[in-house]
Amino acid sequence: MNAMSRHPEPTIFERIVAREIPADVVFESDRVIAIRDINPQAPVHLLVIPKTAIYRNITELGAGDPALLAEVVAVAGQLAEEHTGGEYRLVFNQGERAGQTVFHVHAHVLGSAPGTEGLAEGTLGNL
Ligand code: AMP
């Protein structure tokens, strides 16, 4: 299956990668872009996004290109070092019932600036 058959409509992240719509870009390399989330759930909320649109979720990315998944994790760690002092939460939502809304794999980097209040415990799910 090719990218066209998977994504008849480009996702919002594909359009951000193509610079068709604006975003607050905090990092970019050949294969990865990172932006600030437009609807932050924490004082620091970044999204680390592989530029390719062929992987819808982390399972597909891990199976299809483990080196790219490792790069996403490394970029997340590097950005977290800069923005949170290195203490952070890394979240991949997979599937609608887990809260995924954009079907172009991306990592959420959640945290707060050093010296400020940290993330609450027990807020990862709804129980
Ligand atoms: P998920 O729900 O895991 O698929 O995450 C999608 C995330 O993308 C949500 O946290 C949204 O707030 C965020 N988002 C959607 N559109 C944009 C946009 N144009 N710029 C930045 N973040 C966005």
Side-chain angles (χ1 to χ4, degrees), residues 48-106:
V48 184
I49 307 166
K51 288 184 174 176
T52 175
I54 69 173
Y55 304 113
R56 289 173 298 189
N57 56 53
I58 186 180
T59 298
E60 290 186 2
L61 176 60
D65 194 339
L68 183 54
L69 173 57
E71 188 175 340
V72 168
V73 172
V75 168
Q78 183 183 316
L79 288 170
E81 199 64 44
E82 287 168 28
H83 293 260
T84 75
E87 297 181 44
Y88 65 107
R89 195 172 285 166
L90 189 61
V91 173
F92 291 85
N93 294 325
Q94 177 159 324
E96 270 176 43
R97 294 182 57 250
Q100 188 175 6
T101 57
V102 181
F103 291 82
H104 176 142
V105 63
H106 53 281

Side-chain angles (χ1 to χ4, degrees), residues 26-46:
V26 294
F27 173 87
E28 185 166 14
S29 67
D30 286 351
R31 301 184 79 197
V32 172
I33 193 167
I35 63 174
R36 285 188 200 278
D37 196 292
I38 205 166
N39 182 24
Q41 304 297 310
V44 173
H45 188 171
L46 309 175

